[in-house]
Amino acid sequence: RYFLVGSNPAETKYRVLKIDRTEPKDLVIIDDKHVYTQQEVRELLGRLDLGNRTKIGQKGSSGLSRAVSAFGIVGFVRFLEGYYIVLITKRRKMADIGGHAIYKIEDTNMIYIPNDSVRVTHPDEARYLRIFQNVDLSSNFYFSYSYDLSHSLQYNLTVLRMPLETLKTETMQSRQESFDIFEDEGVSTQGGSGVFGICSKPYEKYVWNGKLLEAVKNIVHRDWLLYIINGFCGQSKLLIYGRPIYVTLIARRSSKFAGTRFLKRGANSEGDVANEVETEQILYDASVMSFSAGSYSSYVQVRGSVPLYWSQDISTMMPKPPITLDQADPFAHVAALHFDQMFQRFGSPIIILNLVKEREKRKHERILSEELVAAVTYLNQFLPPEHAIIYIPWDMAKYTKSKLCNVLDRLNVIAESVVKKTGFFVNRPDSYCSILRPDEKWNELGGYVVSTGRLQTGVLRTNCVDCLDRTNTAQFMVGKCALAYQLYSLGLIDKPNLQFDTDAVRLFEELYEDHGDTLSLQYGGSQLVHRVKTYRKIAPWTQHSKDIMQTLSRYYSNAFSDADRQDSINLFLGVFKPTEGKPHLWELPTDFYLHHKNTLSLSQTRRSYTHWWTTGVLKHLPLPFDEVTCAENRRKLTVKKFHKYEEEIDIHNEFFRPYELSSFDETFCLAMTNSTRDFMPKNVGIDPSPFTVRKPDETGKSVLGNKSNREETVLQRKTAASAPPPPSEEAVSSSSEDDSGTDKEDEGAVSQRSTPVKVTDTGDNTKITENVVQSTKDVYGVNLSDVPSEDDLAVYSRFVQLGQSQHKQDKSSLQPCSKNQLDRVINLIPISCFSQDNIYEVQPPRADRKSIEIFHAHIQAGKGNMQPLGKDDFLMYREYIRNRYM
């Protein structure tokens, strides 16, 4: 047997899974659902060790040995032999949202479960294993133990604020139907000492290990299930006069109809489109960590292929294969399914920004525009006018070639109109200063205003042909516009406008470039070619030759390696399941039938051509159906009750771990980009505001350190978030979108970023520290000793041991005490409170009337105005004289 022992971060609670290794092809897992303490787990493992030794009393050979230490289970997979378990063995912290850590998978381990004695070998097993391991789990896969990465911040915080009474009434009704939304786990659901937690099901479209966990999902406790997403996650720190604001960018790649550039185009029969990515920018004030007390804001936008049946044939070995429409769809069936999904998740309005070419000598991209216009026009005639799909066509390539037009100015106008229609999410009401001095643009803002803040309703869906270069620049401009509104809503700037060449926008632009490079590598096989600098026409001329190399690199990737990557993705996501007696994955001429379910079986129910949306969606618009309180959504929630002194709900102990011996390397492992250190000029007398426009030669990157050190530092930050670079010393990363790289007119205006990216070892923490952090002598004027003395270490260790024993004593003493005793001991009442407008403004504690009178009398006495003495004062004075002198 294998025994999996899992613990919580504090290592005070444990669960144990037993995996049977005697079954050659079946997966037998036993979860006793019992929560063990540390002592109980040690006794259990000790008994197992003793019972499995070859001879009783033998101490030399252990009956139980540790196979591997891991941070989570990715899932279980079977090909033609027995099951494998996939474990996360290395992780790296990439971001922090409200105390919830987001980790990137750095390394995994696949362990074959059945014993060698019962193993039934198959000649093709090793080939399937190689194909499965082609999906590099160490590049751009992310997970979090406590935060649902598959949902947006708006969804997570809206669900958290759902009234508990509605869930309780639902529970009472559903108990009669043998369904219980509460998972009691020995905790009474009645009484005042409980804290309720709500757990929602993940959004399956963005979960990449859903099929790998399918075999155990209904067997093991949900704490074992760790859902991973693929895409991008980056976080930077914006310092506004010392006040830390974290800017986070999370991109979720869809696991439906997933694949590589030319092999996955358009949509499948269920309305899932190729290269569909949901990008969310989250902004929050890091000086207050809690979701309930802090200020959080987010904005979501989507990219995805044109939702039609279309493809490009790469067998001709042409750099720009012709676009062909594969099936006639006069009633826009596929587009209807796709936009129905978007209405459910985002609400209305759905805004399409179509960036493909409209004027061409040979009809190529225009085919898609004409079909998309026809589909949207057909679908809109059945929708209410106020919820109609908004279609914005804009030929970005034509504007780029023109010397008279500024591409980004035009994009900025589009971005302003889009953000005003959709609004954005913020979890606090408008500040008092914005009510006193309202901004004109702020009053025109759309979305949905509630008592606790604002909700984003609707979404912008951007597409070109590949959804890479042009799309990333357009998304950056919309994100920049939304960032200005987010900063304004948190009271950090006085007008919702951000200028280029400020530290804040440079930081945000670098984040979006990393985001675009990563998504481009995943889908197209190379990094971006056209960046924001390209469209601003300020990129250096030396980038022209690199663009050509990147175009060739992308062409090679698409022609020779994409097919193998597509097979790996199909196997990893469970689209293809190896079966004895059926053709193998490498024998299939195409994967078309795997992704289009209607080719294998006819659907029993035919969707209406006119009422093409899901029942109930229109009734709640503009709010998204997934976020409204209804019976269907309540079934997706599980409510768990905790005791109010349990450590799961103590954010401070969970995050800061005060009872542990802490190491600076682990505490500060997240080395994020900093606006002051990396972008602000170091000259004396420079305005430190990140919203001040800088000259090009005045930026922090041009005056900080020598060039080589800066390049290495920049790369170490970039490669931390983006996919592994190609094997060459310079990142040979091409991204020739259909209008870029092959169009000679474009190439004159096309160039890329100025710094060549060197491949360095991101694990070298000491090098990063040397490059990024200044010495203590420079900062404070004194040199600190490298290593503390042994006496100091001994004192500190004793202090930590005292804290640990005190912590254990507190935990053990919680058990026998009654709740009333605990209330008397730990119930702390804050004497001051934060106001709504400013987290740094503290309202003084309330004083009672008698104290105020005493204080006023004291003030008057200081001025010489003595109050007449009362009878009690005379008696007290007489008593004092008698005791003192008589």
Side-chain angles (χ1 to χ4, degrees):
R1 278 184 174 179
Y2 276 132
F3 289 89
L4 262 70
V5 181
S7 78
N8 62 344
E11 296 186 4
T12 55
K13 292 184 177 181
Y14 292 82
R15 292 184 183 273
V16 179
L17 277 187
K18 302 186 236 335
I19 304 177
D20 193 357
R21 301 183 64 198
T22 58
E23 291 290 336
K25 290 197 174 182
D26 294 330
L27 183 65
V28 180
I29 292 185
I30 301 163
D31 183 7
D32 56 11
K33 305 284 174 76
H34 181 68
V35 181
Y36 297 88
T37 62
Q38 194 174 48
Q39 185 64 32
E40 289 170 346
V41 162
R42 283 179 181 163
E43 290 173 0
L44 174 68
L45 296 178
R47 287 198 298 271
L48 289 169
D49 182 30
L50 196 63
N52 286 291
R53 286 179 184 164
T54 50
K55 295 179 182 177
I56 295 177
Q58 182 178 357
K59 293 185 179 178
S61 64
S62 171
L64 198 66
S65 61
R66 176 178 292 193
V68 66
S69 294
F71 293 105
I73 303 172
V74 175
F76 298 84
V77 64
R78 177 178 175 269
F79 308 121
L80 294 167
E81 295 181 12
Y83 273 90
Y84 296 82
I85 180 172
V86 188
L87 298 168
I88 300 167
T89 53
K90 281 186 184 176
R91 68 180 187 189
R92 182 160 47 140
K93 188 175 177 181
M94 293 302 297
D96 181 84
I97 301 177
H100 301 271
I102 298 172
Y103 297 98
K104 177 179 180 285
I105 299 175
E106 290 282 288
D107 198 11
T108 55
N109 194 359
M110 280 185 78
I111 298 174
Y112 189 66
I113 292 175
N115 269 320
D116 291 339
S117 58
V118 297
R119 182 169 188 168
V120 181
T121 57
H122 195 284
D124 294 315
E125 179 78 7
R127 187 167 181 181
Y128 274 117
L129 185 60
R130 274 199 310 275
I131 293 172
F132 183 86
Q133 289 176 333
N134 261 353
V135 174
D136 187 8
L137 279 168
S138 65
S139 84
N140 312 118
F141 282 90
Y142 304 91
F143 69 92
S144 175
Y145 298 112
S146 52
Y147 181 80
D148 187 355
L149 283 171
S150 67
H151 282 294
S152 64
L153 181 76
Q154 175 171 317
Y155 178 90
N156 288 334
L157 294 191
T158 306
V159 166
L160 284 174
R161 292 181 184 277
M162 189 175 283
L164 188 64
E165 297 306 316
T166 58
L167 292 169
K168 282 186 174 179
T169 54
E170 179 70 19
T171 309
M172 300 311 291
Q173 295 165 6
S174 57
R175 279 183 177 168
Q176 300 165 3
E177 303 162 11
S178 73
F179 170 76
D180 189 2
I181 196 171
F182 283 98
E183 185 184 335
D184 291 337
E185 290 199 358
V187 182
S188 168
T189 51
Q190 295 178 2
S193 63
V195 176
F196 290 94
I198 300 176
C199 178
S200 63
K201 285 184 181 176
Y203 194 63
E204 290 181 6
K205 178 186 271 192
Y206 299 117
V207 172
W208 275 64
N209 62 336
K211 293 287 183 185
L212 301 179
L213 292 172
E214 211 169 45
V216 297
K217 191 164 63 173
N218 299 321
I219 301 170
V220 301
H221 191 272
R222 69 161 182 271
D223 287 352
W224 288 104
L225 304 177
L226 195 65
Y227 295 101
I228 64 173
I229 66 163
N230 179 226
F232 172 81
C233 178
Q235 190 170 56
S236 295
K237 183 191 289 185
L238 183 66
L239 278 173
I240 305 174
Y241 295 106
R243 184 171 177 178
I245 306 297
Y246 284 2
V247 183
T248 314
L249 206 60
I250 298 175
R252 310 173 184 91
R253 181 174 290 284
S254 169
S255 61
K256 311 289 184 187
F257 204 50
T260 52
R261 185 181 174 205
F262 283 126
L263 299 178
K264 286 289 160 282
R265 293 297 213 191
N268 66 3
S269 59
E270 296 178 357
D272 302 306
V273 297
N275 195 21
E276 183 174 7
V277 182
E278 179 180 302
T279 300
E280 180 179 23
Q281 61 188 58
I282 298 172
L283 191 79
Y284 75 94
D285 191 335
S287 49
V288 175
M289 197 175 61
S290 153
F291 273 142
S292 54
S295 302
Y296 290 80
S297 176
S298 75
Y299 184 76
V300 177
Q301 46 186 326
V302 178
R303 68 171 71 183
S305 191
V306 179
L308 306 166
Y309 286 122
W310 66 280
S311 62
Q312 286 178 281
D313 184 14
I314 54 169
S315 61
T316 56
M317 300 295 287
M318 292 171 61
K320 286 175 74 170
I323 291 172
T324 55
L325 293 170
D326 299 333
Q327 295 180 35
D329 194 5
F331 299 107
H333 175 69
V334 178
L337 288 168
H338 178 68
F339 291 121
D340 182 34
Q341 287 181 18
M342 296 191 75
F343 274 130
Q344 288 191 54
R345 183 161 173 84
F346 303 110
S348 74
I350 302 295
I351 305 169
I352 303 169
L353 178 57
N354 185 18
L355 302 173
V356 304
K357 293 180 182 176
E358 292 177 333
R359 293 178 62 186
E360 298 171 299
K361 294 176 184 175
R362 177 175 58 89
K363 199 172 178 181
H364 180 62
E365 295 185 11
R366 194 153 46 106
I367 299 169
L368 299 176
S369 283
E370 291 171 355
E371 284 295 315
L372 184 58
V373 168
V376 171
T377 307
Y378 173 80
L379 296 175
N380 271 345
Q381 61 187 329
F382 307 112
L383 285 172
E386 65 271 18
H387 301 310
I389 300 167
I390 301 169
Y391 178 76
I392 305 172
W394 190 58
D395 187 344
M396 191 167 171
K398 184 184 81 173
Y399 273 81
T400 307
K401 293 173 189 174
S402 169
K403 293 181 180 178
L404 300 174
C405 302
N406 188 322
V407 177
L408 298 189
D409 283 352
R410 175 69 182 135
L411 270 175
N412 196 52
V413 173
I414 295 172
E416 284 282 355
S417 66
V418 164
V419 175
K420 280 179 182 175
K421 287 185 177 76
T422 61
F424 62 95
F425 169 73
V426 61
N427 74 332
R428 51 175 279 176
D430 294 350
S431 53
Y432 188 58
C433 59
S434 64
I435 297 170
L436 281 178
R437 299 185 301 275
D439 189 87
E440 291 177 9
K441 289 164 66 176
W442 183 256
N443 292 336
E444 298 169 9
L445 196 63
Y448 196 79
V449 182
V450 292
S451 59
T452 54
R454 288 176 175 270
L455 300 179
Q456 179 182 343
T457 58
V459 75
L460 172 69
R461 184 195 190 280
T462 314
N463 73 269
C464 41
V465 177
D466 291 334
C467 304
L468 297 178
D469 296 3
R470 287 173 282 182
T471 298
N472 198 68
T473 303
Q475 285 198 330
F476 163 74
M477 289 303 295
V478 176
K480 171 179 163 288
C481 178
L483 181 71
Y485 279 101
Q486 289 176 286
L487 288 165
Y488 180 79
S489 71
L490 300 185
L492 301 170
I493 53 178
D494 57 350
K495 286 189 180 299
N497 288 320
L498 282 180
Q499 300 293 324
F500 273 107
D501 296 320
T502 58
D503 298 343
V505 173
R506 280 199 181 98
L507 176 139
F508 191 61
E509 182 183 333
E510 186 172 272
L511 207 53
Y512 250 96
E513 277 195 8
D514 292 348
H515 162 265
D517 282 340
T518 306
L519 298 182
S520 186
L521 272 164
Q522 293 164 5
Y523 183 63
S526 74
Q527 294 183 351
L528 292 172
V529 171
H530 295 171
R531 302 170 182 275
V532 178
K533 289 185 180 68
T534 306
Y535 292 104
R536 290 183 72 194
K537 301 180 180 175
I538 61 169
W541 61 271
T542 52
Q543 291 301 316
H544 185 58
S545 57
K546 291 181 182 176
D547 295 346
I548 297 170
M549 285 300 297
Q550 289 179 350
T551 304
L552 293 173
S553 170
R554 173 175 284 188
Y555 175 68
Y556 173 84
S557 173
N558 297 155
F560 300 109
S561 62
D562 277 5
D564 294 336
R565 285 175 59 206
Q566 186 65 57
D567 285 346
S568 304
I569 290 169
N570 289 341
L571 188 63
F572 184 85
L573 291 174
V575 177
F576 176 86
K577 292 182 180 175
T579 311
E580 195 72 55
K582 290 191 175 181
H584 294 300
L585 179 61
W586 50 88
E587 294 171 354
L588 297 177
T590 175
D591 63 354
F592 180 85
Y593 306 102
L594 300 176
H595 289 275
H596 294 75
K597 302 288 174 60
N598 63 347
T599 57
L600 299 176
S601 61
L602 286 172
S603 175
Q604 299 297 322
T605 58
R606 184 186 290 268
R607 287 178 72 96
S608 169
Y609 290 141
T610 56
H611 292 275
W612 52 267
W613 52 86
T614 304
T615 310
V617 169
L618 280 190
K619 185 172 68 175
H620 297 288
L621 289 180
L623 287 175
F625 181 73
D626 286 354
E627 292 176 17
V628 297
T629 307
C630 64
E632 187 177 337
N633 288 337
R634 282 198 284 260
R635 290 193 194 98
K636 300 175 186 174
L637 303 177
T638 307
V639 179
K640 184 177 177 183
K641 185 170 181 183
F642 298 89
H643 197 277
K644 64 180 176 181
Y645 301 118
E646 284 193 56
E647 54 212 353
E648 282 95 332
I649 59 170
D650 188 344
I651 299 174
H652 180 270
N653 278 354
E654 186 83 11
F655 187 76
F656 291 107
R657 317 279 281 282
Y659 45 83
E660 284 188 2
L661 179 62
S662 54
S663 156
F664 277 147
D665 289 340
E666 294 173 6
T667 307
F668 300 106
C669 60
L670 178 55
M672 65 177 80
T673 309
N674 188 310
S675 63
T676 303
R677 183 186 64 221
D678 299 323
F679 295 95
M680 194 181 84
K682 298 298 179 283
N683 302 346
V684 180
I686 292 289
D687 182 4
S689 169
F691 308 115
T692 302
V693 178
R694 316 277 187 205
K695 295 175 185 175
D697 58 343
E698 205 182 51
T699 63
K701 293 204 171 183
S702 61
V703 298
L704 177 65
N706 61 38
K707 189 177 178 183
S708 60
N709 279 355
R710 275 308 306 161
E711 286 173 3
E712 287 183 8
T713 307
V714 168
L715 175 75
Q716 285 166 343
R717 185 173 60 247
K718 278 180 178 281
T719 50
S722 51
S728 61
E729 184 68 13
E730 265 183 59
V732 181
S733 53
S734 75
S735 167
S736 159
E737 187 129 359
D738 281 358
D739 67 327
S740 49
T742 56
D743 237 281
K744 291 191 177 178
E745 287 181 87
D746 290 359
E747 285 179 353
V750 168
S751 50
Q752 200 200 329
R753 75 162 167 248
S754 55
T755 320
V757 178
K758 296 182 183 175
V759 180
T760 57
D761 183 9
T762 57
D764 191 358
N765 287 332
T766 57
K767 184 182 283 188
I768 296 174
T769 311
E770 287 172 5
N771 287 336
V772 173
V773 183
Q774 296 178 351
S775 68
T776 53
K777 178 73 175 173
D778 295 340
V779 180
Y780 300 106
V782 293
N783 270 327
L784 297 178
S785 58
D786 293 336
V787 182
S789 65
E790 290 186 6
D791 292 342
D792 292 341
L793 278 175
V795 170
Y796 184 56
S797 300
R798 282 201 297 272
F799 170 74
V800 170
Q801 286 166 4
L802 281 171
Q804 286 177 335
S805 60
Q806 180 64 35
H807 175 71
K808 289 173 184 171
Q809 186 180 354
D810 288 347
K811 293 291 172 192
S812 58
S813 63
L814 280 180
Q815 310 298 333
C817 286
S818 68
K819 295 170 189 171
N820 294 334
Q821 287 176 315
L822 283 173
D823 285 335
R824 284 202 302 273
V825 173
I826 310 179
N827 196 9
L828 302 176
I829 301 169
I831 61 168
S832 58
C833 62
F834 294 116
S835 66
Q836 282 188 340
D837 282 352
N838 194 340
I839 56 160
Y840 295 113
E841 179 188 345
V842 182
Q843 294 175 351
R846 295 179 179 276
D848 57 9
R849 189 176 171 184
K850 187 174 180 182
S851 302
I852 292 171
E853 288 175 355
I854 292 172
F855 180 70
H856 281 305
H858 177 71
I859 295 290
Q860 294 298 324
K863 293 179 179 179
N865 302 327
M866 300 298 295
Q867 291 185 341
L869 296 177
K871 187 178 180 183
D872 293 339
D873 299 323
F874 276 117
L875 291 173
M876 190 184 297
Y877 182 67
R878 191 178 295 162
E879 189 70 25
Y880 167 75
I881 294 295
R882 184 185 297 124
N883 294 335
R884 181 73 176 82
Y885 297 108
M886 296 181 180

